[in-house]
Amino acid sequence: MLSPNIFSILVVLLSAKYIPATLSQMYTQNAQFKGKGFLESFNWETYDDPTHGRVNFVNQGTALNTNLSYADNDVFIMRADYHQIVPSNARGRDSIRITSHDAWGDSLLILDLAHMPEGCATWPAYWTVSKNGPWPQGGEVDILEGVNLNSNNLASLHTTSNCTMPQTRNHTGQVISTNCDAAVNYNQGCGVVSTAPNSYGSGFNNNGGGWIATWRSSNAISHWFWSRNAPNVPDEIRQGYCDGITPGEDWGTPDATFVWSQCDYSSHYDPHQIIFDLTLCGDWAGNAFPTAGCGPGNCQDFVDNNPDAFQNAFWEINSLSVYTPQL
Ligand SMILES: *[C@@H]1O[C@H](CO)[C@@H](O)[C@H](O)[C@H]1NC(C)=O
Ligand SMILES: *[C@@H]1O[C@H](CO)[C@@H](O)[C@H](O)[C@H]1NC(C)=O
Ligand SMILES: *[C@@H]1O[C@H](CO)[C@@H](O)[C@H](O)[C@H]1NC(C)=O
């Protein structure tokens, strides 16, 4: 028999307060991209934009020579050209799309972003996609995305068939669709629009940007956003480096969350590369352009003839950190 003393110690050890701390998973930093680090860790893609945008994706050498990409020790910037008129027979306005060489499965991504592309015709995205593919095998996670003059971020998933999300989840965002299958609803995906002010576009930029944390695990994919001047930014997010992070702990309710109760995680998701891109017009921004308050005229003419409109069409990244579960 246990003596009463030992028994009470066991009760304390097993109390509700103690158990979550011992069972929660610690994540350690696996990679950090900052300034010039992006140049050696990402590929500058040059193919035609798969979403049919009015862009000409340039390689890294061209991007650096023309200052469409710029890196020093502290900051990394990439943008669309804002000087040239684009001839109508050209592929499009010079822009960038970069893909990380490496891929990660279960992970925590923390992006410290000072500025994102904004304005009419723009369609920027920060997202991850299966390295193995072919798309949509292995899945897609859209973290920060929108078009034209949008003010609220859209987070979404795109998958192979048989992956849906419950309508009601524990997040602050607004569910706009629940079927993640890329083959239905014209590849709409299962999207959640952020209800956070300043989560996208000019509002995001006017506040100095902020931090976006994306936690991917066999429990869920969840995104948190903190504006630069938010009073509740967790220390481990703000400081940009930490030996160990317990994702979600004291972070409050996520902006968007995607759970696996109606979607088998391991057959829909595998290791992902990280992508940043900036396209113009195309399947989403182009179709939305006429009703976006950007007219008159069509999106392609706007892009070709108004270089000045793209002065704020740039990404400015302070850092991107990747944490993985501690073994
Ligand atoms: C290149 O871009 C950076 C970042 O916007 C800027 O600070 C720098 O002055 C630009 N360089 C030239 C030559 O325009
Ligand atoms: C929702 O998530 C928050 C933050 O993680 C947590 O405090 C709260 O208990 C959760 N609510 C429900 C209904 O699960
Ligand atoms: C669809 O996914 C569920 C799990 O989410 C699984 O039980 C079911 O067998 C799957 N159906 C098909 C046709 O793969």
Side-chain angles (χ1 to χ4, degrees):
M1 275 299 284
L2 295 169
S3 78
N5 258 353
I6 290 174
F7 183 70
S8 62
I9 290 168
L10 283 176
V11 168
V12 169
L13 287 175
L14 293 173
S15 75
K17 199 170 190 329
Y18 196 80
I19 287 171
T22 45
L23 295 184
S24 57
Q25 174 75 57
M26 179 83 87
Y27 282 55
T28 51
Q29 197 171 72
N30 177 271
Q32 187 178 53
F33 309 107
K34 193 174 171 63
K36 290 177 177 152
F38 279 91
L39 303 181
E40 62 212 33
S41 305
F42 282 70
N43 191 52
W44 269 241
E45 311 294 357
T46 57
Y47 42 66
D48 289 348
D49 173 25
T51 60
H52 313 106
R54 183 71 184 148
V55 283
N56 177 46
F57 290 141
V58 300
N59 66 29
Q60 188 185 93
T62 303
L64 292 173
N65 285 336
T66 54
N67 214 26
L68 294 190
S69 297
Y70 169 85
D72 60 23
N73 291 331
D74 296 320
V75 78
F76 172 60
I77 293 172
M78 54 190 160
R79 63 188 317 147
D81 169 68
Y82 63 99
H83 297 299
Q84 317 287 332
I85 301 270
V86 180
S88 58
N89 64 351
R91 187 162 72 150
R93 179 166 294 285
D94 287 354
S95 191
I96 44 76
R97 174 167 168 141
I98 67 169
T99 309
S100 67
H101 297 317
D102 290 341
W104 296 267
D106 288 3
S107 55
L108 168 68
L109 307 182
I110 300 176
L111 178 68
D112 180 346
L113 185 62
H115 189 282
M116 67 176 294
E118 62 166 272
C120 288
T122 63
W123 175 4
Y126 158 53
W127 52 294
T128 73
V129 70
S130 170
K131 184 168 185 170
N132 290 334
W135 186 90
Q137 285 176 40
E140 172 181 331
V141 180
D142 299 327
I143 303 168
L144 176 61
E145 183 171 21
V147 295
N148 297 310
L149 303 177
N150 282 5
S151 57
N152 292 72
N153 182 46
L154 176 71
S156 193
L157 304 184
H158 299 263
T159 65
T160 52
S161 64
N162 197 22
C163 181
T164 62
M165 292 293 138
Q167 178 73 37
T168 303
R169 277 115 74 188
N170 189 10
H171 57 190
T172 59
Q174 183 193 350
V175 172
I176 55 166
S177 54
T178 55
N179 196 335
C180 311
D181 182 354
V184 306
N185 300 332
Y186 304 96
N187 185 28
Q188 185 187 17
C190 47
V192 177
V193 173
S194 177
T195 54
N198 312 317
S199 59
Y200 185 87
S202 60
F204 179 93
N205 293 331
N206 293 343
N207 254 339
W211 295 264
I212 301 164
T214 299
W215 181 21
R216 173 183 155 177
S217 78
S218 55
N219 292 322
I221 293 176
S222 300
H223 307 287
W224 287 261
F225 166 65
W226 297 273
S227 193
R228 186 70 55 194
N229 54 10
N232 61 337
V233 186
D235 285 346
E236 68 270 29
I237 300 285
R238 190 186 289 279
Q239 72 195 33
Y241 174 78
C242 200
D243 275 339
I245 292 188
T246 305
E249 192 173 68
D250 301 325
W251 292 2
T253 306
D255 280 64
T257 196
F258 303 87
V259 298
W260 310 123
S261 54
Q262 303 164 194
C263 177
D264 178 58
Y265 174 59
S266 62
S267 61
H268 288 90
Y269 277 87
D270 67 8
H272 278 196
Q273 294 170 296
I274 300 169
I275 300 184
F276 292 87
D277 68 55
L278 170 55
T279 191
L280 305 171
C281 306
D283 296 340
W284 186 12
N287 289 336
F289 187 87
T291 55
C294 290
N298 70 51
C299 195
Q300 178 172 331
D301 289 344
F302 180 85
V303 168
D304 288 357
N305 298 310
N306 295 286
D308 285 355
F310 298 96
Q311 286 191 38
N312 288 320
F314 68 93
W315 293 101
E316 181 174 342
I317 300 172
N318 292 327
S319 65
L320 171 63
S321 303
V322 182
Y323 291 80
T324 50
Q326 193 171 46
L327 298 177

